[in-house]
Amino acid sequence: MCIEQAIGIDWSAVGAIATAFAAGTALLIWLVDGSRRKAERKAAARLLAQSMIAPVAAAQIDIAAVRRAVAPPDGSTWLIHAALASKAGRDELAGLAAGVNLELPPQFLDKADLFSEEVSNKLAYALTVISRLKVSAKLLSSLGDTSEQQDIDQHTHLLLTLIKETADAVDDAYNVLLVAGRASR
């Protein structure tokens, strides 16, 4: 009689226990690693959001300056009237609007998947509306003094509408970045 039979060891049961233990260990390692990666992604998203707050704030300042020039606190509308009346006025208004910039760090495009859908959508919309503002400014500036007044009116109205839309979009982007970049999340 061999020693295994004398002691009564069931080696298939020992193998099953060892296999279950190894599988449990592997599962535990996978769960810990997943949790660690999730925390790293969250920290990376927070850091990237914090780094993007300054450029979005700069765009807020740019568009606020345009809005203040278009509708100053004293209620004057001289810039709008100048844009409607002359090429020089249109060039001045278009130049102000074209000066609004939003330069996000290149990591945003590389790591856009770190952000929630809301953050990505608000930033993409802000970039899109600023692009539309620049195109509209260029179109308004291209209208000469011999252009039809109806075209001048329509392009001026479109630019003024885009100025407001840009201000709202940039404000929204700024606010979602503040939330995404908060360290206490």
Side-chain angles (χ1 to χ4, degrees):
M1 175 180 258
C2 71
I3 196 155
E4 289 96 12
Q5 289 174 339
I7 299 176
I9 297 176
D10 183 2
W11 289 107
S12 60
V14 171
I17 291 172
T19 302
F21 180 73
T25 302
L27 179 62
L28 181 61
I29 290 170
W30 179 75
L31 289 173
V32 168
D33 186 56
S35 175
R36 183 183 54 80
R37 286 179 190 245
K38 184 177 178 182
E40 287 174 358
R41 286 178 59 80
K42 189 175 179 181
R46 186 173 33 248
L47 181 62
L48 185 55
Q50 289 169 353
S51 72
M52 291 191 314
I53 288 172
V56 174
Q60 268 186 317
I61 292 169
D62 290 346
I63 195 65
V66 174
R67 287 185 82 174
R68 184 174 175 85
V70 169
D74 66 5
S76 168
T77 57
W78 70 269
L79 185 57
I80 297 170
H81 290 296
L84 292 171
S86 71
K87 169 87 168 116
R90 287 188 288 283
D91 287 344
E92 184 174 350
L93 177 58
L96 285 171
V100 177
N101 290 310
L102 178 53
E103 298 291 329
L104 294 178
Q107 297 90 338
F108 170 66
L109 296 176
D110 297 339
K111 304 287 185 187
D113 63 324
L114 291 176
F115 295 112
S116 69
E117 185 176 344
E118 179 186 21
V119 173
S120 295
N121 286 347
K122 297 284 184 181
L123 287 169
Y125 183 65
L127 289 168
T128 300
V129 78
I130 287 173
S131 176
R132 288 176 39 217
L133 178 70
K134 288 178 179 290
V135 169
S136 179
K138 191 174 186 178
L139 289 173
L140 180 65
S141 181
S142 71
L143 296 176
D145 284 329
T146 59
S147 297
E148 295 284 327
Q149 190 61 42
Q150 182 181 0
D151 289 342
I152 294 170
D153 293 347
Q154 286 177 343
H155 282 81
T156 304
H157 184 285
L158 175 61
L159 186 66
L160 295 173
T161 302
L162 284 172
I163 289 169
K164 170 140 181 31
E165 191 176 340
T166 301
D168 293 343
V170 171
D171 286 345
D172 289 347
Y174 181 78
N175 290 330
V176 297
L177 282 175
L178 283 179
V179 172
R182 238 188 358 226
S184 63
R185 293 190 304 138

